[in-house]
Amino acid sequence: PDETRERFVPSVSSGGTDEGARGFRYLAWNHDPNPDDEMAVTDYAFLVREATGEVRVVHDRHIHGLFPRQVWLDTLVAVGFEPHSQIYAHSEVEGEDSSSSSARSAEPGARSAVGTVLA
């Protein structure tokens, strides 16, 4: 998973681009409005400038699961995977390295099928 309950950190990202008279900007706000449940929310605000110069605003909301790491590991085992943790630094997170407390972990796994291990 991209995030687990233990390592969730609210964040905001933004960006955009222009192409001729047209343009696009976005703001993505990742937050957890209710820390007592297993969901987080990412709200997106899009500003779209058409070639005519008209600008419109679009909002989109994604609600996604935010589960403890052990739930992910148990689920992988339950469906036949053999997960293991791998600590890594995300290349797009400033100041993050694999030895810091901000380092992330991935739980890749192999699954056996008819005596063969699949990657």
Side-chain angles (χ1 to χ4, degrees):
D2 291 337
E3 299 158 332
T4 62
R5 167 57 63 202
E6 299 88 350
R7 300 190 57 79
F8 178 79
V9 177
S11 63
V12 174
S13 61
S14 61
T17 188
D18 294 312
E19 187 173 309
R22 299 176 63 189
F24 175 82
R25 297 292 180 272
Y26 74 88
L27 174 87
W29 176 26
N30 192 15
H31 56 107
D32 184 8
N34 181 358
D36 295 326
D37 67 12
E38 293 184 325
M39 292 184 288
V41 175
T42 304
D43 281 300
Y44 295 93
F46 303 104
L47 289 147
V48 182
R49 186 182 65 228
E50 303 293 350
T52 62
E54 177 188 348
V55 176
R56 60 189 167 94
V57 178
V58 178
H59 171 252
D60 191 19
R61 173 171 273 194
H62 293 204
I63 299 173
H64 49 94
L66 187 58
F67 303 103
R69 181 175 173 271
Q70 194 60 51
V71 168
W72 285 105
L73 294 173
D74 292 347
T75 301
L76 287 169
V77 169
V79 296
F81 285 87
E82 298 174 14
H84 63 278
S85 285
Q86 180 175 334
I87 304 300
Y88 70 97
H90 194 289
S91 62
E92 295 180 10
V93 177
E94 188 175 323
E96 187 173 276
D97 65 59
S98 60
S99 64
S100 76
S101 62
S102 66
R104 298 160 190 258
S105 68
E107 283 70 36
R111 183 172 182 182
S112 297
V114 192
T116 306
V117 176
L118 305 174

